[in-house]
Amino acid sequence: MQPLLKSVPTSLDGLREAVLTAAGELAGEPPGTPVSRGGIVLERPPRADFGDYSTNAALLLAPGLGASPREVAERLGKELAQRLGASLERFEVAGPGFLNLFLADRWLAGSLAEILAAGESFGAAGADPPERIVVEFVSANPTGPMHVGHARNAAYGDALARLLLLHGHEVTREFYVNDAGSQVRKLGESIRSLARGEEVPEDGYRGEYVEQLVAHLPDASELEPAELGRAAVAVMIEQIAASLSKFRVSFDLWTYESKLHEGDPSPVAHALEILEREGHTYRDEGALWLRTTDYGDDKDRVLVRSNGEHTYFASDIAYHQDKRERGFDRQIDVWGADHHGYVGRMKAAYAALGGDPEHLDLLIMQLVHLMRGGERAQMSKRAGEFVTLDDLLTEIGVDAARWYLLARSHETTVDLDLDLAREQSSENPVYYVQYAHARIAAVLAKAGEERVREALAGIGEESRSGEGSRSPDGDGTQDAGRGRAADGGQTPLHPAERALVKQLLAFPAEVEEAVERRAPHRITAYALQLAQDFTAFYRDCRVLGAEPETLESLRIALSVASKRTIARCLDLLGVSAPAEM
């Protein structure tokens, strides 16, 4: 179900707006108007002594102002100092004209209050505009079990769907079952041969799973291959769904290719009629062709062979037209590495149908190599010449499997180290992040629910679920300096506290970047860095028993925000967030 969350601006958003507005006034824009010049960024510098945030605005404004970048940076810094007041401790001009900003403790404490007040909405609903999106992924061949390659597609597609949902889109997860064509008949022939004690055809299917299908289909020796193949596909789909469920992947819809050839007119006939009506097809040597070269493809493609058979391409075109007519604004397909050459022709066909190719995202997954002891792992061969998803889950578990399959860009090959994935140490990133979550849970449990509620109320958040919550009408900003900053700054924030707050503030931008780049692996990197920053904070800053009490309250609140955000990251990845380990 689509979560009913709303976007909640953060202090960092306000700081970015202040930089752009101040830059706009320097550039001669109307007062209060953010600069329209692109390329201006506000980012965290590589070292804390370079400031909390840095902007390149002066470098981009200088040519138009006829002044040196350092001079413009000085003017921009003074303008920001007036705008931000006590929130800006100081600024420095660095290098050729970068402006480094040092934020006051009060600003960081207020930012933490806003994060906590946002609750489940922190980092959510940033899509502008929200879209209706269908994500079609896995779509494994139904003539065999799920293997490790499918597992990567499954983890990726599911994590991407979770990210899209959090970002505010309406998402449908769909599995496309390729149950038409000769492969289904070949599966039926293979099963019938085994049932009759005969040799499997040379181009047939082999492996223990085929023998198990014989046991599932008691009439296998009597049925015609096509009917037997369809019955076997039904069994395989049940098993695929069960394997995916164990992997924490589910689908809203299962669409069957065979249904695209049914009805009068069938969806395939309907799609071909659209293409012919628009003049995008022609006949040559008895076959029907699509003019995909009109849309940038390297050659035209066959839709119907001279013998009257439809190509797989014709079915795929009909499927994408069907999704268009169901009202989706965007289609995302997650394909295997062997589909790279298919992208151009599918984009061309989508354009020929009248769709915008920019609204068709065709994502190609690269291969997965299982490693053990620095060498390719063989594992079991129960299902024939491949390693099944079930094998992988038995070997390393769901959490490690999902994390490692998501830890690299979908455009790069994954070498999944089975030994490391099982290891319970800081060397194993998924264990490290989960352990950080469990450590925070233990700290908060030791503090007790009442003390946690008091701590959160001290920075503007009411109690909720043993951790405190936001008041119905509070925005978490009216007392941005309460708690730690209320003592006049007599107890400065520790560098580890500052680093942790800034890492938390980076979460909404990471979600947005992960969505825009279709890059769930960014969340694994962010979660690991957040866990590392919390570990450094926990090492350097006493939480329970810290004095004065306002200091303990702030550190408890910081622990709560860290726990929530780590849990959110793990959930986006489909990884559990244990309270103890």
Side-chain angles (χ1 to χ4, degrees), residues 295-548:
Y295 296 94
D297 195 12
D298 59 344
K299 61 180 180 180
D300 293 340
R301 306 291 175 172
V302 176
L303 299 175
V304 183
R305 299 184 180 92
S306 57
N307 63 3
E309 290 183 358
H310 293 99
T311 62
Y312 284 118
F313 188 39
S315 297
D316 287 340
I317 292 172
Y319 176 47
H320 286 82
Q321 177 62 15
D322 176 68
K323 287 188 285 186
R324 286 188 67 221
E325 294 180 357
R326 281 189 264 148
F328 292 109
D329 303 312
R330 181 175 300 276
Q331 299 184 35
I332 299 177
D333 295 356
V334 180
W335 290 348
D338 57 342
H339 283 66
H340 189 273
Y342 212 69
V343 171
R345 74 187 74 171
M346 195 67 249
K347 288 266 191 179
Y350 198 74
L353 288 166
D356 182 350
E358 294 301 312
H359 292 173
L360 175 62
D361 299 350
L362 304 178
L363 308 176
I364 304 298
M365 305 297 298
Q366 294 306 313
L367 300 175
V368 179
H369 298 146
L370 300 180
M371 311 295 290
R372 182 185 283 117
E375 299 181 353
R376 296 278 178 89
Q378 297 301 314
M379 293 177 59
S380 73
K381 292 290 186 67
R382 294 184 302 105
E385 296 304 314
F386 50 81
V387 178
T388 69
L389 170 59
D390 291 341
D391 287 333
L392 182 65
L393 299 187
T394 299
E395 179 88 2
I396 62 174
V398 177
D399 289 338
R402 288 193 63 124
W403 178 281
Y404 279 90
L405 290 172
L406 290 168
R408 295 287 182 269
S409 166
H410 67 281
E411 297 174 327
T412 62
T413 299
V414 166
D415 289 331
L416 200 167
D417 188 331
L418 297 168
D419 297 324
L420 180 60
R422 286 195 308 272
E423 196 170 298
Q424 296 187 2
S425 76
S426 60
E427 299 300 315
N428 182 354
V430 62
Y431 180 85
Y432 186 92
V433 175
Q434 289 180 311
Y435 185 78
H437 182 271
R439 171 180 276 169
I440 301 171
V443 169
L444 298 177
K446 186 174 181 180
E449 292 186 5
E450 183 61 31
R451 180 66 187 99
V452 172
R453 279 195 293 267
E454 291 174 358
L456 297 180
I459 59 168
E461 188 176 5
E462 303 294 332
S463 62
R464 176 182 63 186
S465 302
E467 289 186 355
S469 73
R470 170 184 187 181
S471 60
D473 57 350
D475 64 3
T477 61
Q478 72 272 20
D479 290 317
R482 290 178 68 181
R484 191 56 177 288
D487 65 4
Q490 296 176 10
T491 313
L493 287 174
H494 189 281
E497 292 174 308
R498 299 179 67 90
L500 186 52
V501 173
K502 287 183 287 185
Q503 182 65 11
L504 288 167
L505 280 171
F507 178 65
E510 284 295 337
V511 170
E512 182 172 7
E513 192 79 2
V515 168
E516 292 302 315
R517 296 192 180 190
R518 309 296 190 238
H521 71 278
R522 292 187 66 92
I523 301 301
T524 66
Y526 172 84
L528 181 57
Q529 184 61 57
L530 178 57
Q532 290 170 340
D533 286 345
F534 178 83
T535 300
F537 156 75
Y538 187 74
R539 179 195 66 217
D540 297 340
C541 303
R542 183 174 184 178
V543 178
L544 303 184
E547 296 181 351

Side-chain angles (χ1 to χ4, degrees), residues 68-138:
S68 73
R70 289 184 62 88
E71 179 185 343
V72 175
E74 186 72 28
R75 290 163 57 187
L76 181 61
K78 290 178 179 178
E79 176 64 28
L80 282 171
Q82 287 210 346
R83 287 179 174 277
L84 298 174
S87 292
L88 182 64
E89 185 177 277
R90 72 182 193 277
F91 68 85
E92 293 179 357
V93 177
F98 290 101
L99 181 63
N100 295 338
L101 305 176
F102 296 79
L103 281 304
D105 286 355
R106 184 181 188 88
W107 185 88
L108 288 163
S111 298
L112 174 60
E114 290 176 351
I115 291 169
L116 290 164
E120 290 295 304
S121 292
F122 178 54
D128 184 21
E131 295 179 322
R132 287 193 67 213
I133 301 175
V134 57
V135 184
E136 182 252 309
F137 62 108
V138 184

Side-chain angles (χ1 to χ4, degrees), residues 15 136 182 190-192 319 373 464 564:
L15 179 62
E136 182 252 309
S182 61
S190 303
I191 295 169
R192 190 172 70 170
Y319 176 47
R464 176 182 63 186
R564 290 179 183 174

Side-chain angles (χ1 to χ4, degrees), residues 41-45 50-56 94 98-101:
V41 297
L42 180 71
E43 57 189 4
R44 288 175 65 183
F50 290 168
D52 296 302
Y53 296 96
S54 179
T55 179
N56 65 344
F98 290 101
L99 181 63
N100 295 338
L101 305 176

